[in-house]
Amino acid sequence: MYRTNTCGELRLADAGKEVTLSGWVQRVRKMGGMTFLDLRDRYGITQIVFNNDTDAALCEQANHLGREFVVQVTGLVAERTAKNPNLLTGDVEIIANSLKVLNASEVPPFTIEDESDGGDDLRMKYRYLDLRRNPVRRNLELRHRMTMEVRRYLDSKGFLEIETPMLVGSTPEGARDFVVPSRMNPGCFYALPQSPQTLKQLLMVSGMDRYFQIVKCFRDEDLRADRQPEFTQIDCEMSFVEQEDVISLFEGMAKHLFKELRGVELDGPFVRMPWSDAMKYYGSDKPDLRFEMKFVELMDILKGYGFAVFDNAAYIGGICAKGAANYTRKQLDQLTDFVKRPQIGAKGMVYARVEADGSVKSSVDKFYSQETLQKMKEAFGAEPGDLILILSGDDAMKTRKQLCELRLEMGNRLGLRDKNKFACLWVVDFPMFEWSEEEQRLMAMHHPFTHPKDEDIPMLDTDPASVRADAYDMVVNGVEVGGGSIRIHDSELQAKMFEILGFTPEKAQEQFGFLMNAFKYGAPPHGGLAYGLDRWVSLFAGLDSIRDCIAFPKNNSGRDVMLEAPAPLDQKQLDELQLELAPVEEKKS
Amino acid sequence: MYRTNTCGELRLADAGKEVTLSGWVQRVRKMGGMTFLDLRDRYGITQIVFNNDTDAALCEQANHLGREFVVQVTGLVAERTAKNPNLLTGDVEIIANSLKVLNASEVPPFTIEDESDGGDDLRMKYRYLDLRRNPVRRNLELRHRMTMEVRRYLDSKGFLEIETPMLVGSTPEGARDFVVPSRMNPGCFYALPQSPQTLKQLLMVSGMDRYFQIVKCFRDEDLRADRQPEFTQIDCEMSFVEQEDVISLFEGMAKHLFKELRGVELDGPFVRMPWSDAMKYYGSDKPDLRFEMKFVELMDILKGYGFAVFDNAAYIGGICAKGAANYTRKQLDQLTDFVKRPQIGAKGMVYARVEADGSVKSSVDKFYSQETLQKMKEAFGAEPGDLILILSGDDAMKTRKQLCELRLEMGNRLGLRDKNKFACLWVVDFPMFEWSEEEQRLMAMHHPFTHPKDEDIPMLDTDPASVRADAYDMVVNGVEVGGGSIRIHDSELQAKMFEILGFTPEKAQEQFGFLMNAFKYGAPPHGGLAYGLDRWVSLFAGLDSIRDCIAFPKNNSGRDVMLEAPAPLDQKQLDELQLELAPVEEKKS
């Protein structure tokens, strides 16, 4: 037996007991004739005392322990004279009578403390040491608690967790698949699922009624800062439901999770915002509603006064930053530089201050009368002390997105994006399609199985670009944590959808024949939703990146630097798969 | 709103309520002026009544419904005159006042009944229809309940569920990996994990203390009847434990599951049987202990009497089938044919009946005196009416395995393998290594991370083949449901193990360097276990195959016949991966 207790559980009531603890050496200090050892495990830290007067040999042994040695200690629990109120075990210490080194440790490449001196690369290479740090470990504990709560909640609502296969067929529509060559079927490949979308729809056809799965999904995409090639979804689907049923159930789950995991009670129903409003007022389909600062369109007010930039613009709009009129010229220049960064791409920024006397002082005063500026002030409901920031451009949607970035930046600067405050909403009524410049055709905004709004179905023939979908996203603090839709359950409507998306009937049959066939045998109306677990955990944990809520994440090149994967294969393995490498350089020569 | 209630929940107390139900048409019957519709969903069946006198048009509509149509019905709950005690809803029926067809259905290719007329291939192609059948759906419900209970149990014991990556590095040791070409790292491949073995050990190094995961694992092996290329493991690992700690915790979990899922109370501790005893008495490392019929070795008793088959044998052993002395010549011939099948490979079988008067009548009477046969009878403790069956051979281990098959066959024939009876045991003290004829070297019997028994460590240098391991398997009814071991946590011992297994230090470093490096930074003593979820669910469900407890299984060629996966890729996908097909036929020409 290695231990009677963990390093986190002894209290004053245990004083007098003989205990055995095992754990890692956090710290060893000599003070007077005593040696103090902080012994650490997942559950906490317990202080161990070695007395040079009582047992000099044992004390000497303790003095030679290095950081991160694994040791086993037996001793008596005693009340501390100097208690440590910061530790749950801080009322007691263990008077050691034996000490055994279970394993030595080399000096770790970075400190195992809440604030480590290890850089990102080092921490990832030695991730097993990084995970010993409290903040990282706590993220994984939170992730565990979250999935437990999700399962409890969905189980209580009659959902069945059903595993769908990981080795499926490749569907070139959408993002790129990771593929898996089949040795038993040479020349053939499985694909790893980007989501279990079609399989969960089949489960609805099979009458499973309420399905969920916490499941790994895969996308072979170029990785942006906060994407991983493998990620985890809370994937759900329900039969005999309308949008309202799905939204209300999953809003209930969100409230449950906020309460259980963060102790936050979210009152009242979440805001429902049509996608068109989200774009109009926030320039984003995932607006951060922790703060207001809504867009105000200024085309009517500011056009036609000789300021060419505005006169030629397809969109002029601004935001009002409460109390920021005291921004210095330097701060305003920083903001201008911010919006002109290539990632954002605005041409410039106009600003206007509301002075203490109510008058408006702007960077374009020479074009506008005070009367016009006052009209603008009223449009914002701006007050003395407020700062108005205006962008314009020849593409309304692009300019709105630039203004969105500016709004978020001002939110940051004004401290309006508190990580401990949560603003949840549903964005609804998404467009069914979006135009792809690259492909020169309409693409499904969510996916080809999304049900159009009943009242918009006639427009599928006449004006598909205007058709809205029964699709909804849950957004928290500007992060899309989940989304879903009511699905098509009619094989004819599904065929029409593939047609609009440019599939020939043969291609549609080849790729999704199994689903369209299934729909011929009594598919129920159904819909669902998928949450991104990684994003949601990092939101709860207050992290900026999803990486630190994943035990073994990959870097931006899709590499696991600890495992050194991916790596070249043995020739034998390639031969068995009947594959050859065909490097592009070689092909060209 | 599609329904106020499910098809499984209305009771007599609901009589008088107006309800709306949605579901599938199980059956439509006309009787007198009435039409009865059995409406089915996951939760049950409710009878709907249409009265031709009250609403002829509605009744006519109902008469035209086909099997598996999806319909919505509104009506009044009424007490049935002829109650159906076999249905939980059998006390009521719905007097319909409206009927809506939500989706039609073509005639399904097989009947959606408990006993279907669909063959295996058809059922798999239309698996979404097969899953509508009660027995198949119940297996998935059981699987869901099982994973919920496992998680609840392990959570209550302080285990954290931690997701390990699916895209890892390839480890050519052991079974074949499925590999995944990386587009971002051309020429490099990930592998799908055969198990998270090394990653969970790293989690122990990271101080997670108690880890579990219900996780998909992958093996690219030629598939036997009851294997799947992807399968699900309940994977567990604990720190600061000895074998006893692991066994007692997971025995507790097994008992909990038996109680919750099958209502079976397993009393007392499970039998612990050393591997050597399991082989000696049952010829198997997973003995079915639902019945006794232990092997008795007969070398001392039957050798040296001129019967050449026995005289030249390296092993002679038999079993005693209680009460089977009345087996006919034909039955005995069948048994002889059974053991001579190529899959079993025995040369022949000797039998002996114990007559009512206690005398023994054998098939080799001309070589043995009644005195010798009586000695043999005593060795078995055989009684009048018993049948003794004996095999021999020149390879003791092979002959024991043949005798094991005969024992199981006799167990089947005598009805001793009741699916509702459960015999659990731990097989312990496995050999560390087994000799591979193919590779002409010692291979790890479990895996290279298994800890040898402390007392056997000195033999690693002198007689490695005799070294036993701290390894254990849980066996239920002759099925290995799980197994594990205490792991090596010392990098030097691990290095020695790789040496014995024929790894050069470079090769060991290349493949397992990350683990051996991790061991240098304070690895705790640890051990764990993995259960095969598929096997365990099928055991609880009383299934002969794991296939029917998997929603979308693959066939013996690793194909999903519903999805038609795997399949050839588009050339564009191959180009992006910088791969070329290299069919073996082409290479030869």
Side-chain angles (χ1 to χ4, degrees), chain B residues 196-446:
Chain B
Q197 181 61 38
T198 52
L199 289 157
K200 71 177 174 178
Q201 292 192 247
L202 290 178
L203 287 172
M204 294 303 102
V205 175
S206 76
M208 290 298 154
D209 206 76
R210 293 183 161 203
Y211 143 94
F212 83 102
Q213 190 181 190
I214 300 185
V215 61
K216 276 280 172 78
C217 301
F218 303 86
R219 264 177 221 176
D220 188 10
E221 281 181 337
D222 298 320
L223 302 170
R224 285 177 259 153
D226 216 21
R227 289 258 182 131
Q228 289 278 314
E230 52 178 304
F231 54 97
T232 306
Q233 252 178 225
I234 305 170
D235 192 52
C236 308
E237 197 77 6
M238 308 164 76
S239 287
F240 301 115
V241 289
E242 292 161 345
Q243 174 168 314
E244 191 55 39
D245 301 305
V246 181
I247 283 188
S248 93
L249 193 135
F250 287 97
E251 190 166 314
M253 183 169 103
K255 287 180 174 178
H256 175 78
L257 292 173
F258 271 104
K259 195 175 155 195
E260 292 295 323
L261 301 175
R262 288 294 314 239
V264 172
E265 296 264 9
L266 297 172
D267 300 324
F270 292 1
V271 169
R272 308 259 181 109
M273 189 180 290
W275 178 86
S276 55
D277 281 2
M279 297 311 294
K280 184 174 175 188
Y281 295 119
Y282 302 97
S284 168
D285 57 4
K286 39 179 194 283
D288 184 345
L289 296 194
R290 279 175 295 185
F291 63 109
E292 189 66 4
M293 217 186 277
K294 260 188 183 179
F295 295 2
V296 172
E297 285 202 19
L298 302 167
M299 297 284 280
D300 292 347
I301 298 174
L302 298 182
K303 250 189 185 248
Y305 291 92
F307 180 42
V309 173
F310 284 179
D311 287 354
N312 298 327
Y315 177 85
I316 313 167
I319 52 175
C320 172
K322 305 298 290 177
N326 59 356
Y327 260 42
T328 61
R329 181 67 206 222
K330 192 179 160 199
Q331 284 172 303
L332 290 164
D333 285 348
Q334 280 173 349
L335 287 176
T336 305
D337 290 345
F338 173 83
V339 298
K340 286 167 88 174
R341 292 189 313 171
Q343 305 97 300
I344 299 185
K347 293 265 163 49
M349 184 186 80
V350 167
Y351 62 86
R353 294 188 175 96
V354 184
E355 309 282 354
D357 64 0
S359 66
V360 175
K361 185 90 198 63
S362 87
S363 58
V364 287
D365 273 1
K366 62 176 168 176
F367 296 105
Y368 295 99
S369 66
Q370 188 61 223
E371 192 191 340
T372 305
L373 294 174
Q374 285 297 324
K375 253 196 251 172
M376 176 182 84
K377 180 181 92 174
E378 276 157 37
F380 282 102
E383 294 170 329
D386 292 352
L387 176 69
I388 291 168
L389 301 171
I390 302 168
L391 298 183
S392 66
D394 51 11
D395 179 321
M397 211 47 115
K398 274 191 192 159
T399 312
R400 284 195 182 102
K401 286 179 182 167
Q402 293 159 357
L403 192 53
C404 167
E405 295 295 334
L406 180 61
R407 175 180 175 270
L408 294 176
E409 174 67 14
M410 285 310 296
N412 285 337
R413 285 173 180 245
L414 297 173
L416 301 173
R417 304 181 76 191
D418 177 357
K419 282 188 178 164
N420 292 309
K421 194 178 151 187
F422 297 98
C424 307
L425 77 154
W426 292 99
V427 176
V428 297
D429 299 350
F430 278 82
M432 189 73 215
F433 306 103
E434 58 188 343
W435 179 257
S436 163
E437 283 298 331
E438 194 189 331
E439 305 248 343
Q440 285 290 308
R441 65 172 175 97
L442 289 177
M443 309 272 283
M445 193 163 208
H446 273 71

Side-chain angles (χ1 to χ4, degrees), chain A residues 335-575:
Chain A
L335 286 177
T336 305
D337 291 345
F338 173 82
V339 298
K340 286 167 87 173
R341 293 189 312 171
Q343 305 96 300
I344 299 183
K347 294 264 161 52
M349 183 187 80
V350 167
Y351 63 85
R353 294 190 175 93
V354 185
E355 308 284 354
D357 62 2
S359 66
V360 175
K361 184 91 197 67
S362 87
S363 58
V364 287
D365 274 0
K366 63 175 168 177
F367 297 104
Y368 295 99
S369 66
Q370 188 60 222
E371 191 192 342
T372 306
L373 294 175
Q374 286 296 324
K375 252 196 250 172
M376 178 182 80
K377 181 181 92 173
E378 276 158 36
F380 282 102
E383 294 170 329
D386 291 352
L387 176 68
I388 290 168
L389 301 172
I390 302 169
L391 298 184
S392 66
D394 52 13
D395 179 322
M397 209 48 115
K398 272 190 192 158
T399 313
R400 284 195 183 102
K401 285 178 183 169
Q402 293 158 359
L403 192 54
C404 167
E405 296 296 334
L406 181 61
R407 175 180 175 270
L408 294 176
E409 175 66 15
M410 285 309 296
N412 286 338
R413 285 173 179 247
L414 298 174
L416 302 173
R417 302 181 76 191
D418 178 355
K419 281 188 178 166
N420 293 308
K421 194 178 149 187
F422 297 98
C424 307
L425 77 153
W426 292 98
V427 176
V428 296
D429 300 350
F430 278 83
M432 189 72 215
F433 305 103
E434 58 188 344
W435 179 255
S436 164
E437 284 298 332
E438 193 188 332
E439 304 249 343
Q440 285 292 307
R441 65 172 174 98
L442 290 177
M443 308 271 284
M445 193 162 208
H446 272 71
H447 52 58
F449 316 110
T450 307
H451 198 281
K453 285 195 125 26
D454 280 331
E455 60 268 37
D456 291 358
I457 288 183
M459 287 196 296
L460 282 174
D461 293 318
T462 56
D463 182 14
S466 298
V467 172
R468 293 164 306 158
D470 284 331
Y472 33 83
D473 276 359
M474 188 190 280
V475 174
V476 182
N477 292 2
V479 175
E480 180 212 321
V481 293
S485 63
I486 298 300
R487 327 297 183 184
I488 296 167
H489 64 277
D490 176 273
S491 53
E492 281 180 34
L493 183 56
Q494 187 64 66
K496 177 184 277 275
M497 200 59 60
F498 284 131
E499 189 192 320
I500 295 171
L501 292 169
F503 282 72
T504 61
E506 295 70 32
K507 189 89 186 161
Q509 187 61 36
E510 185 192 320
Q511 277 187 38
F512 299 109
F514 62 95
L515 189 67
M516 290 197 291
N517 287 342
F519 283 177
K520 291 177 187 155
Y521 295 98
H526 61 288
L529 172 146
Y531 284 112
L533 177 65
D534 307 297
R535 282 201 203 164
W536 214 354
V537 175
S538 48
L539 192 86
F540 278 132
L543 299 172
D544 293 317
S545 156
I546 60 171
R547 214 167 283 180
D548 263 345
C549 69
I550 297 172
F552 300 107
K554 294 191 169 51
N555 73 10
N556 283 349
S557 318
R559 291 193 62 79
D560 185 318
V561 295
M562 179 187 73
L563 299 177
E564 296 184 30
L569 288 188
D570 285 357
Q571 187 60 42
K572 187 176 158 229
Q573 284 176 289
L574 285 172
D575 290 345

Side-chain angles (χ1 to χ4, degrees), chain A residues 165, chain B residues 124 127 228 546-548 550-555 559-561:
Chain B
M124 287 303 147
R127 182 65 166 174
Q228 289 278 314
I546 60 170
R547 214 167 281 182
D548 264 346
I550 297 172
F552 300 108
K554 294 192 171 48
N555 72 11
R559 292 193 62 79
D560 185 319
V561 294

Side-chain angles (χ1 to χ4, degrees), chain A residues 142-336:
Chain A
L142 177 66
R143 189 180 179 106
H144 165 73
R145 288 214 317 283
M146 169 134 177
T147 55
M148 285 298 296
E149 281 306 326
V150 167
R151 288 192 163 98
R152 262 186 216 128
Y153 186 86
L154 292 175
D155 179 60
S156 78
K157 302 290 182 192
F159 284 76
L160 297 176
E161 185 161 26
I162 301 174
E163 291 174 69
T164 53
M166 290 279 128
L167 298 172
V168 297
S170 184
T171 53
E173 178 76 349
R176 278 195 200 81
D177 289 320
F178 281 107
V179 298
V180 182
S182 166
R183 187 178 50 86
M184 288 173 74
N185 305 273
C188 291
F189 293 73
Y190 303 100
L192 301 177
Q194 296 184 28
S195 96
Q197 181 62 37
T198 50
L199 289 157
K200 70 177 173 177
Q201 292 192 246
L202 290 178
L203 287 172
M204 294 303 103
V205 176
S206 76
M208 289 299 154
D209 206 77
R210 293 183 160 202
Y211 143 94
F212 83 103
Q213 190 180 190
I214 301 185
V215 60
K216 277 280 173 74
C217 301
F218 304 85
R219 264 177 222 177
D220 188 8
E221 282 181 338
D222 298 322
L223 301 171
R224 284 177 259 153
D226 215 20
R227 290 258 181 132
Q228 288 280 314
E230 53 177 303
F231 54 98
T232 306
Q233 252 178 226
I234 306 170
D235 192 51
C236 308
E237 197 77 7
M238 308 164 75
S239 289
F240 302 114
V241 289
E242 291 159 347
Q243 175 167 315
E244 191 56 39
D245 301 305
V246 181
I247 283 188
S248 93
L249 193 135
F250 287 98
E251 191 166 313
M253 183 168 102
K255 287 180 174 179
H256 175 79
L257 293 173
F258 272 103
K259 195 175 156 197
E260 292 295 324
L261 301 176
R262 289 293 313 237
V264 171
E265 296 264 8
L266 297 172
D267 299 324
F270 291 1
V271 170
R272 308 261 179 106
M273 188 181 290
W275 177 86
S276 54
D277 281 3
M279 297 311 296
K280 185 173 175 188
Y281 295 119
Y282 302 96
S284 168
D285 57 5
K286 40 179 193 284
D288 185 347
L289 297 194
R290 277 175 296 185
F291 62 110
E292 187 67 2
M293 218 185 277
K294 260 187 182 178
F295 295 3
V296 172
E297 284 202 20
L298 302 166
M299 297 283 280
D300 293 347
I301 298 173
L302 298 183
K303 246 190 187 250
Y305 291 91
F307 180 41
V309 173
F310 283 179
D311 287 353
N312 299 327
Y315 176 85
I316 313 167
I319 53 174
C320 172
K322 304 300 290 177
N326 59 355
Y327 259 41
T328 63
R329 182 65 204 221
K330 191 177 161 203
Q331 285 173 301
L332 290 163
D333 285 348
Q334 280 174 349
L335 286 177
T336 305

Side-chain angles (χ1 to χ4, degrees), chain A residues 1-3 22-24 42-43 68 70 102-107 128-129 131-132 137 141 143-144 148 151-152 155 158-170 176 178-185 187-190 202-203 205-210 216 218 220 222 230 232 239-242 489 514 518 520-525 533 551-552 554 556-558 562-563 565-569 573 575-584 587, chain B residues 1-3 22-24 42-43 68 70 102-107 128-129 131-132 137 141 143-144 148 151-152 155 158-170 176 178-185 187-190 202-203 205-210 216 218 220-222 230 232 239-242 489 514 518 520-525 533 551-552 554 556-558 562-563 565-569 573 575-580 582-584 587:
Chain A
M1 196 209 43
Y2 280 105
R3 62 185 175 196
S22 290
W24 285 263
R42 187 184 113 200
Y43 312 95
E68 302 303 320
V70 184
L102 299 173
N103 217 340
S105 174
E106 294 187 7
V107 176
Y128 44 87
L129 297 179
L131 290 173
R132 285 187 193 164
R137 192 201 64 239
E141 287 171 344
R143 189 180 179 106
H144 165 73
M148 285 298 296
R151 288 192 163 98
R152 262 186 216 128
D155 179 60
F159 284 76
L160 297 176
E161 185 161 26
I162 301 174
E163 291 174 69
T164 53
M166 290 279 128
L167 298 172
V168 297
S170 184
R176 278 195 200 81
F178 281 107
V179 298
V180 182
S182 166
R183 187 178 50 86
M184 288 173 74
N185 305 273
C188 291
F189 293 73
Y190 303 100
L202 290 178
L203 287 172
V205 176
S206 76
M208 289 299 154
D209 206 77
R210 293 183 160 202
K216 277 280 173 74
F218 304 85
D220 188 8
D222 298 322
E230 53 177 303
T232 306
S239 289
F240 302 114
V241 289
E242 291 159 347
H489 64 277
F514 62 95
K520 291 177 187 155
Y521 295 98
L533 177 65
F552 300 107
K554 294 191 169 51
N556 283 349
S557 318
M562 179 187 73
L563 299 177
L569 288 188
Q573 284 176 289
D575 290 345
E576 282 184 343
L577 296 169
Q578 307 192 21
L579 284 180
E580 264 172 23
L581 303 183
V584 165
K587 270 191 180 166
Chain B
M1 194 209 45
Y2 280 104
R3 62 185 175 195
S22 289
W24 285 263
R42 187 185 114 201
Y43 311 95
E68 301 303 319
V70 184
L102 299 173
N103 218 341
S105 173
E106 294 186 6
V107 176
Y128 43 86
L129 297 180
L131 290 173
R132 286 188 191 162
R137 192 200 65 240
E141 287 171 344
R143 189 180 179 106
H144 165 73
M148 285 298 296
R151 288 190 163 98
R152 260 184 217 130
D155 179 60
F159 284 77
L160 297 175
E161 185 163 26
I162 301 175
E163 292 175 67
T164 52
M166 290 279 130
L167 297 172
V168 297
S170 184
R176 278 196 201 82
F178 280 107
V179 298
V180 182
S182 165
R183 189 177 50 86
M184 288 173 74
N185 304 274
C188 290
F189 293 72
Y190 303 100
L202 290 178
L203 287 172
V205 175
S206 76
M208 290 298 154
D209 206 76
R210 293 183 161 203
K216 276 280 172 78
F218 303 86
D220 188 10
E221 281 181 337
D222 298 320
E230 52 178 304
T232 306
S239 287
F240 301 115
V241 289
E242 292 161 345
H489 64 278
F514 61 95
K520 290 177 187 154
Y521 295 99
L533 177 65
F552 300 108
K554 294 192 171 48
N556 283 349
S557 318
M562 180 188 70
L563 299 177
L569 287 188
Q573 283 176 290
D575 290 346
E576 283 185 343
L577 296 169
Q578 306 191 22
L579 284 180
E580 265 173 22
V584 166
K587 271 192 180 167

